[in-house]
Amino acid sequence: MKQKPLAVRMRPEHIDEIIGQEHLVGEGKIIRRMVTAEQLASMILFGPPGTGKTSMAMALAKSLGKPIKLLNAVTDKKKDMEIVVEEAKITGQVVVILDEVHRLDKAKQDFLLPHLESNLIILIGCTTSNPYHSINPAIRSRCHLFELHRLTADHVKQAITRAMTDSKKGVGDKNIQLSEEALEHFAQSANGDMRAALNGVELAVSSTPEDKNDIIHISISIAEECMQKKSFSHDKDGDAHYDVLSAFQKSIRGSDVDAALHYLARLIEAGDLDSIARRMIVTAYEDIGLANPQAGPRALAAVQAAERLGFPEARIPLSVAITELCLSPKSNTAYKALDAALEDVRRGKGGEIPAHLKDSHYSGAKKLGRGLEYLYPHEYEHGWVKQQYLPDSIKNKQYYIPKATGKFEQAMKQVYDKIQKDKKI
């Protein structure tokens, strides 16, 4: 038993031993109700690494005394699944816990589908990917989808404390003194990954010699050594990465400097300057726009400076630009106006271009009435003259709705409102 890693040894044996995920296994919650009713159904458990997806799956099956087969969609072949099904036909219903379920190929999927429908196999798929993006609809439609949330520091502390006091599966057979600072560091630096925290604790225990009283003292410095590569977990190709990017852009849009800098820090730790640059520039034009027209060029300049400098110095111009973007007045009027115009065009609401606006720079244009009544604005006071520009069918259409945010757009609004007023005279 002790040859297995601590994180494996400490896996829960019953639903009551599951740490966290109260929204699923708490009293009256859906998975708890399934177990109470002894009606376990096929499901997909998805969430960040170390949240206990496989552990939960095993605990659910063991709570009901169901036989378990642990498979991996990548490494196990279709033949392995055929063996499980044949065994199930003899022994009865089997719970198949399938890690990396999003990597299930078509041949394996086609083999499993009829056995899921007949309920011979209860499938519990585990994945860090968003099932709506990564899992074939044929499998997805036959399973309940349950999202596991990132564990809190208190959850991780609870798991560590349990491991420290469990003499059978944990390290409770040793005389260990874990300082409060060390416990806090294990819990915080694991970033919600219980497996990382327990691996760190196991490394600390196994690598720290006993003192003359046979006590293993684990201090904050030892905890820092054992968790130095566990403080940040970020997969640039994973769903969590896109969640960070989304939160980054929405924090800028919401003018929350602290949140935007936090998510910027995550992206910097992931080394993803390309995504940072793209989100900064699009936000400058999409969310700030005419309220601060210089935000776009300055964001681009900051990106170019960051690219020239490289990390770690790149963080300096990025921080300046992000702070400005957050605290700039916001306006999306320009691109919203264009989107409204695009929608009309795509719906066929273009209409005939007025004759006086059509090209007249060719022989015979005048005979066709092209450009004859065109009024050249520069020949009139204020550089504006009343004439129709839109097609007749939409001549009174208004796409641009100005905001009074930022001095620049306030000035533009005054001009726009005056022109609109003069049109009606």
Side-chain angles (χ1 to χ4, degrees), residues 56-324:
M56 178 184 286
M58 296 182 72
L60 297 181
K62 288 180 178 180
S63 294
L64 296 178
K66 298 282 187 183
I68 302 170
K69 291 295 181 181
L70 185 59
L71 299 176
N72 186 294
V74 178
T75 58
D76 287 303
K77 298 179 172 57
K78 180 184 172 185
K79 183 67 177 176
D80 298 307
M81 296 180 181
E82 291 174 347
I83 293 170
V84 171
V85 169
E86 290 305 314
E87 290 178 359
K89 288 177 180 178
I90 299 171
T91 61
Q93 194 179 56
V94 172
V95 175
V96 173
I97 300 172
L98 190 60
D99 279 329
E100 306 292 334
V101 66
H102 64 285
R103 300 283 298 278
L104 195 65
D105 64 35
K106 191 175 187 305
K108 296 173 187 174
Q109 170 195 295
D110 290 345
F111 173 74
L112 283 176
L113 286 177
H115 303 298
L116 294 184
E117 291 179 346
S118 69
N119 219 26
L120 180 66
I121 295 294
I122 296 176
L123 175 68
I124 305 183
C126 303
T127 178
T128 57
S129 297
N130 186 326
Y132 291 100
H133 297 164
S134 60
I135 294 179
N136 189 291
I139 288 288
R140 196 174 66 224
S141 66
R142 289 165 173 81
C143 297
H144 297 282
L145 305 181
F146 298 124
E147 182 176 10
L148 274 65
H149 297 164
R150 188 176 295 279
L151 299 172
T152 66
D154 285 340
H155 288 141
V156 177
K157 286 180 184 178
Q158 185 181 345
I160 293 172
T161 301
R162 182 182 293 180
M164 298 285 285
T165 55
D166 189 324
S167 58
K168 183 178 179 181
K169 298 188 296 182
V171 290
D173 57 334
K174 301 179 185 296
N175 193 352
I176 302 169
Q177 287 191 2
L178 178 67
S179 73
E180 283 296 321
E181 295 85 357
L183 175 62
E184 186 70 25
H185 184 76
F186 280 124
Q188 293 291 343
S189 62
N191 196 30
D193 187 334
M194 188 183 295
R195 182 169 49 243
L198 291 177
N199 287 345
V201 168
E202 184 171 35
L203 177 59
V205 170
S206 63
S207 63
T208 304
E210 298 174 342
D211 67 8
K212 61 182 180 180
N213 297 316
D214 299 326
I215 299 173
I216 299 174
H217 295 273
I218 300 177
S219 63
I220 179 64
S221 60
I222 293 173
E224 288 172 345
E225 282 291 317
C226 294
M227 293 295 291
Q228 57 182 326
K229 293 185 179 179
K230 299 295 183 182
S231 61
F232 185 78
S233 177
H234 194 114
D235 176 6
K236 285 204 291 182
D237 297 319
D239 292 309
H241 182 63
Y242 295 100
D243 290 340
V244 173
L245 286 171
S246 177
F248 175 55
Q249 185 168 351
K250 288 171 182 172
S251 297
I252 299 172
R253 181 184 298 145
S255 302
D256 192 321
V257 179
D258 300 304
L261 291 174
H262 170 79
Y263 294 119
L264 174 63
R266 289 197 188 190
L267 294 167
I268 288 173
E269 283 297 291
D272 193 0
L273 181 55
D274 288 343
S275 293
I276 294 170
R278 183 178 182 279
R279 295 292 174 132
M280 280 177 60
I281 294 169
V282 73
T283 302
Y285 286 98
E286 176 184 349
D287 297 305
I288 295 163
L290 294 172
N292 178 9
Q294 287 304 307
R298 282 202 284 266
L300 178 59
V303 166
Q304 291 171 337
E307 290 172 341
R308 181 73 63 87
L309 290 169
F311 288 128
E313 288 83 359
R315 76 190 191 286
I316 299 170
L318 293 177
S319 67
V320 173
I322 291 301
T323 302
E324 178 187 357

Side-chain angles (χ1 to χ4, degrees), residues 42-54:
S42 291
M43 64 184 76
I44 303 294
L45 303 178
F46 67 102
T51 48
K53 296 177 289 295
T54 304

